[in-house]
Amino acid sequence: MSSSSEDWVMVDDDAYFYEEECPSTTDEDATEDHVERENSPGIDAVGLGTALVLGATVGLGVGVSVAAVATIASRHIQQHGPSMMEKLGIKAFWKRKPLTSERWCEEVDGEGHVRNFRSLLEEVSKGGVSSDIRVTVWPFLVGLMDPNSSADERFERLEALRRKYDSLVGRCRTLHTELEDDEREASSEAADPTRNQAEEYKENRRILALDLVRTDFSSMALEEEDGGEVPAEPAEEDDARALGLHDPIESAEYLSPQKRRCAKVMGKLLLCYSVHDPQTGYCQGMTDLIQPFVQTFRDESACFWAFATFMESARENFMSDESGIMTRLSLVKMVMADISPEVFSYLNEIGAESFFFSYRMILVLLRRELSVENTMLFWEVMWAEDLLADREPGVPDFLVFSIVALIMGKSHEITTSCKAESDVVYMFCNLKVNVWHMIEAARFCRKKWLAIGAPEAVT
């Protein structure tokens, strides 16, 4: 069965959902949630070895006081009456509570095994992860660490991965040295696998250096001293020079010292990834994807392997034949055609049948549409949702439904204001996203798509 356009009603400024079922929120609701998260003190840097071994970190977020929450809730009810969400018995977005260190510790036994991991995933899907324990929880969410493993087993794995990362850094140093070797440059032009790898490294570094100095660091929480500058560690500068990253980044004088320092760390990690996964190498867009990991981890080795594990699925979007990203585009189109055939048909009529306006959203998993903080929140909810879903073959992942939700949120504007594909592209290039609104809308779209029996039609 399909829904007609009359079934959709406005519940926010421009979001259309089924009136009898869909939860709604306002930008004010999301702001309160953001304030609670931002004001929660926590540990930015926890030794990752300690965090993974113990399965938890110390340091608790205080959050908004009970009195403040009660006051806000009272004003909301007096001014607006019960919201659609309150009528449905669903917590308003600003009341959502992230997974805390206390709650995590409750599920870690004496040997470090994480019990009731599925229950913890359900909490993550409802409120995300408190910033002070992301360094602990993310390795489990991305699949780097097994919740059934013991603390000793995780420690051994962490040490093995650290040695492997050091080896990758050493390989990058060697490739840079080979490129600077004048005698090697003047040697025979006969095929040489080592020389070919050095040339690939050189090309990856060239593209990466251009992207690093154009990266938007504005929403990253970069620490700066009172004087506006944090001196780089000697090892960081040494690595940047040894990998050939120092000069192109330092020449970008419009970047603050701390942004240049961050760019060097990101560059080192991504060069190592290009050597670790030579088939994918470095591709534009990866600087966006690694920012949340650099924001979360202080331990380079752990940061690298969490990112590399995450890329085991995300790398599909960077295949040279674009087969991976085209598959996801097809899934977005399929879900749209099933739950809103009218909007789908209109997009076809104005020449937007390719759905290329959602290309960037798929490529970098909505990183460009969200701040780094909101990206971290969305990704951890997305990871939890996908781990909980136990999807049948043919059922799209949560990212697809999130993109469909954003399109449906603009459905009225699309059908009334867009006359050509370029209008749709412009609209989605300047999209402002309420992250919790999108998450709930994505769940709603998934529910409606599953309800019409769409998976049965997928071959």
mmCIF file of all heavy atoms in Angstrom, residues 5 17 43 46 64 78 90 100 110 140 142 175 183 246 249 256 290 295 303 343 381 393:
data_model
loop_
_atom_site.group_PDB
_atom_site.id
_atom_site.type_symbol
_atom_site.label_atom_id
_atom_site.label_comp_id
_atom_site.label_asym_id
_atom_site.label_seq_id
_atom_site.Cartn_x
_atom_site.Cartn_y
_atom_site.Cartn_z
ATOM 1 N N SER A 5 -0.719 12.030 -0.733
ATOM 2 C CA SER A 5 -0.183 13.289 -0.214
ATOM 3 C C SER A 5 -1.076 13.860 0.873
ATOM 4 O O SER A 5 -0.634 14.602 1.731
ATOM 5 C CB SER A 5 -0.021 14.300 -1.356
ATOM 6 O OG SER A 5 -1.265 14.511 -1.986
ATOM 7 N N PHE A 17 4.555 14.566 8.197
ATOM 8 C CA PHE A 17 4.484 13.207 8.697
ATOM 9 C C PHE A 17 3.028 12.786 8.818
ATOM 10 O O PHE A 17 2.121 13.594 8.691
ATOM 11 C CB PHE A 17 5.145 13.106 10.085
ATOM 12 C CG PHE A 17 6.567 13.542 10.099
ATOM 13 C CD1 PHE A 17 6.924 14.800 10.555
ATOM 14 C CD2 PHE A 17 7.557 12.700 9.635
ATOM 15 C CE1 PHE A 17 8.248 15.198 10.537
ATOM 16 C CE2 PHE A 17 8.878 13.095 9.637
ATOM 17 C CZ PHE A 17 9.214 14.348 10.082
ATOM 18 N N ILE A 43 35.805 14.074 30.891
ATOM 19 C CA ILE A 43 37.215 13.911 30.572
ATOM 20 C C ILE A 43 37.384 13.931 29.076
ATOM 21 O O ILE A 43 36.822 13.111 28.381
ATOM 22 C CB ILE A 43 37.731 12.579 31.113
ATOM 23 C CG1 ILE A 43 37.435 12.498 32.618
ATOM 24 C CG2 ILE A 43 39.211 12.423 30.862
ATOM 25 C CD1 ILE A 43 37.745 11.157 33.197
ATOM 26 N N VAL A 46 41.288 10.499 28.037
ATOM 27 C CA VAL A 46 41.509 9.401 28.957
ATOM 28 C C VAL A 46 42.470 8.458 28.271
ATOM 29 O O VAL A 46 42.329 8.199 27.089
ATOM 30 C CB VAL A 46 40.175 8.666 29.255
ATOM 31 C CG1 VAL A 46 40.427 7.456 30.138
ATOM 32 C CG2 VAL A 46 39.183 9.612 29.900
ATOM 33 N N VAL A 64 22.159 19.325 33.365
ATOM 34 C CA VAL A 64 21.263 20.379 33.817
ATOM 35 C C VAL A 64 20.611 19.948 35.124
ATOM 36 O O VAL A 64 20.260 18.794 35.299
ATOM 37 C CB VAL A 64 20.175 20.632 32.749
ATOM 38 C CG1 VAL A 64 19.182 21.674 33.228
ATOM 39 C CG2 VAL A 64 20.841 21.093 31.458
ATOM 40 N N GLN A 78 2.811 25.389 29.998
ATOM 41 C CA GLN A 78 1.965 26.560 30.149
ATOM 42 C C GLN A 78 1.793 27.294 28.823
ATOM 43 O O GLN A 78 0.712 27.751 28.493
ATOM 44 C CB GLN A 78 2.565 27.509 31.188
ATOM 45 C CG GLN A 78 2.512 26.960 32.615
ATOM 46 C CD GLN A 78 3.270 27.854 33.582
ATOM 47 O OE1 GLN A 78 3.729 28.924 33.217
ATOM 48 N NE2 GLN A 78 3.389 27.403 34.832
ATOM 49 N N ILE A 90 6.038 9.909 24.516
ATOM 50 C CA ILE A 90 7.437 9.863 24.114
ATOM 51 C C ILE A 90 8.153 11.061 24.719
ATOM 52 O O ILE A 90 7.650 12.178 24.679
ATOM 53 C CB ILE A 90 7.571 9.904 22.569
ATOM 54 C CG1 ILE A 90 6.833 8.700 21.981
ATOM 55 C CG2 ILE A 90 9.028 9.906 22.151
ATOM 56 C CD1 ILE A 90 6.779 8.728 20.468
ATOM 57 N N THR A 100 25.652 7.068 30.297
ATOM 58 C CA THR A 100 26.634 7.659 31.216
ATOM 59 C C THR A 100 27.670 6.640 31.652
ATOM 60 O O THR A 100 27.502 5.427 31.490
ATOM 61 C CB THR A 100 25.925 8.194 32.471
ATOM 62 O OG1 THR A 100 25.309 7.098 33.173
ATOM 63 C CG2 THR A 100 24.856 9.224 32.096
ATOM 64 N N GLY A 110 33.768 -8.077 36.688
ATOM 65 C CA GLY A 110 35.110 -7.995 37.236
ATOM 66 C C GLY A 110 36.211 -8.316 36.252
ATOM 67 O O GLY A 110 37.348 -7.857 36.419
ATOM 68 N N PHE A 140 33.531 -0.256 20.707
ATOM 69 C CA PHE A 140 32.542 -1.327 20.675
ATOM 70 C C PHE A 140 31.479 -1.052 19.621
ATOM 71 O O PHE A 140 31.000 -1.978 18.956
ATOM 72 C CB PHE A 140 31.887 -1.469 22.051
ATOM 73 C CG PHE A 140 32.823 -1.921 23.133
ATOM 74 C CD1 PHE A 140 33.472 -1.004 23.940
ATOM 75 C CD2 PHE A 140 33.073 -3.268 23.340
ATOM 76 C CE1 PHE A 140 34.344 -1.404 24.939
ATOM 77 C CE2 PHE A 140 33.947 -3.695 24.340
ATOM 78 C CZ PHE A 140 34.589 -2.755 25.139
ATOM 79 N N VAL A 142 31.792 0.624 16.760
ATOM 80 C CA VAL A 142 32.283 0.460 15.380
ATOM 81 C C VAL A 142 32.758 -0.955 15.095
ATOM 82 O O VAL A 142 33.039 -1.303 13.947
ATOM 83 C CB VAL A 142 33.416 1.463 15.053
ATOM 84 C CG1 VAL A 142 32.924 2.889 15.200
ATOM 85 C CG2 VAL A 142 34.655 1.207 15.906
ATOM 86 N N LEU A 175 58.507 5.565 2.560
ATOM 87 C CA LEU A 175 58.040 5.977 1.222
ATOM 88 C C LEU A 175 58.416 7.425 0.937
ATOM 89 O O LEU A 175 58.810 7.766 -0.185
ATOM 90 C CB LEU A 175 56.530 5.786 1.125
ATOM 91 C CG LEU A 175 56.037 4.335 1.091
ATOM 92 C CD1 LEU A 175 54.515 4.276 1.244
ATOM 93 C CD2 LEU A 175 56.463 3.668 -0.211
ATOM 94 N N GLU A 183 69.033 9.600 -6.206
ATOM 95 C CA GLU A 183 69.564 8.493 -6.978
ATOM 96 C C GLU A 183 68.435 7.589 -7.460
ATOM 97 O O GLU A 183 68.453 7.118 -8.594
ATOM 98 C CB GLU A 183 70.554 7.683 -6.138
ATOM 99 C CG GLU A 183 71.835 8.434 -5.816
ATOM 100 C CD GLU A 183 72.801 7.580 -5.031
ATOM 101 O OE1 GLU A 183 72.464 6.410 -4.748
ATOM 102 O OE2 GLU A 183 73.895 8.087 -4.712
ATOM 103 N N HIS A 246 54.544 18.742 6.570
ATOM 104 C CA HIS A 246 54.812 19.977 7.319
ATOM 105 C C HIS A 246 54.704 21.221 6.443
ATOM 106 O O HIS A 246 53.945 22.158 6.762
ATOM 107 C CB HIS A 246 56.197 19.911 7.954
ATOM 108 C CG HIS A 246 56.541 21.130 8.752
ATOM 109 N ND1 HIS A 246 57.147 22.245 8.177
ATOM 110 C CD2 HIS A 246 56.365 21.427 10.070
ATOM 111 C CE1 HIS A 246 57.316 23.165 9.100
ATOM 112 N NE2 HIS A 246 56.871 22.688 10.257
ATOM 113 N N ILE A 249 51.162 22.344 4.962
ATOM 114 C CA ILE A 249 50.217 22.773 5.994
ATOM 115 C C ILE A 249 50.674 24.075 6.637
ATOM 116 O O ILE A 249 49.877 24.990 6.868
ATOM 117 C CB ILE A 249 50.039 21.666 7.056
ATOM 118 C CG1 ILE A 249 49.322 20.456 6.432
ATOM 119 C CG2 ILE A 249 49.254 22.188 8.255
ATOM 120 C CD1 ILE A 249 49.206 19.259 7.351
ATOM 121 N N SER A 256 44.783 28.873 12.084
ATOM 122 C CA SER A 256 45.411 29.125 13.373
ATOM 123 C C SER A 256 46.432 28.022 13.657
ATOM 124 O O SER A 256 46.375 26.940 13.074
ATOM 125 C CB SER A 256 44.355 29.143 14.477
ATOM 126 O OG SER A 256 43.844 27.833 14.689
ATOM 127 N N ILE A 290 37.129 11.729 9.264
ATOM 128 C CA ILE A 290 38.052 11.452 10.372
ATOM 129 C C ILE A 290 37.956 12.489 11.492
ATOM 130 O O ILE A 290 38.394 12.236 12.620
ATOM 131 C CB ILE A 290 39.508 11.363 9.858
ATOM 132 C CG1 ILE A 290 40.341 10.506 10.825
ATOM 133 C CG2 ILE A 290 40.132 12.752 9.671
ATOM 134 C CD1 ILE A 290 41.674 10.083 10.277
ATOM 135 N N GLN A 295 38.385 14.144 17.215
ATOM 136 C CA GLN A 295 37.760 14.854 18.328
ATOM 137 C C GLN A 295 37.574 13.939 19.542
ATOM 138 O O GLN A 295 37.675 14.373 20.691
ATOM 139 C CB GLN A 295 36.393 15.380 17.895
ATOM 140 C CG GLN A 295 35.675 16.218 18.930
ATOM 141 C CD GLN A 295 36.231 17.619 19.007
ATOM 142 O OE1 GLN A 295 36.132 18.382 18.061
ATOM 143 N NE2 GLN A 295 36.835 17.964 20.132
ATOM 144 N N CYS A 303 42.732 5.843 17.719
ATOM 145 C CA CYS A 303 41.993 6.667 16.773
ATOM 146 C C CYS A 303 42.072 6.066 15.371
ATOM 147 O O CYS A 303 41.061 5.931 14.675
ATOM 148 C CB CYS A 303 42.547 8.086 16.769
ATOM 149 S SG CYS A 303 41.662 9.225 15.672
ATOM 150 N N VAL A 343 5.983 12.710 -4.233
ATOM 151 C CA VAL A 343 7.226 13.490 -4.201
ATOM 152 C C VAL A 343 8.256 12.856 -5.132
ATOM 153 O O VAL A 343 8.971 13.553 -5.857
ATOM 154 C CB VAL A 343 7.783 13.583 -2.763
ATOM 155 C CG1 VAL A 343 9.127 14.317 -2.750
ATOM 156 C CG2 VAL A 343 6.788 14.302 -1.855
ATOM 157 N N VAL A 381 24.153 7.034 17.401
ATOM 158 C CA VAL A 381 22.767 6.565 17.334
ATOM 159 C C VAL A 381 22.593 5.651 16.118
ATOM 160 O O VAL A 381 21.966 4.591 16.196
ATOM 161 C CB VAL A 381 21.788 7.750 17.265
ATOM 162 C CG1 VAL A 381 20.373 7.276 16.943
ATOM 163 C CG2 VAL A 381 21.787 8.528 18.575
ATOM 164 N N PRO A 393 17.829 -9.179 4.598
ATOM 165 C CA PRO A 393 18.407 -8.752 3.310
ATOM 166 C C PRO A 393 17.452 -7.812 2.582
ATOM 167 O O PRO A 393 16.247 -8.043 2.519
ATOM 168 C CB PRO A 393 18.573 -10.079 2.555
ATOM 169 C CG PRO A 393 18.711 -11.111 3.634
ATOM 170 C CD PRO A 393 17.806 -10.650 4.743
#
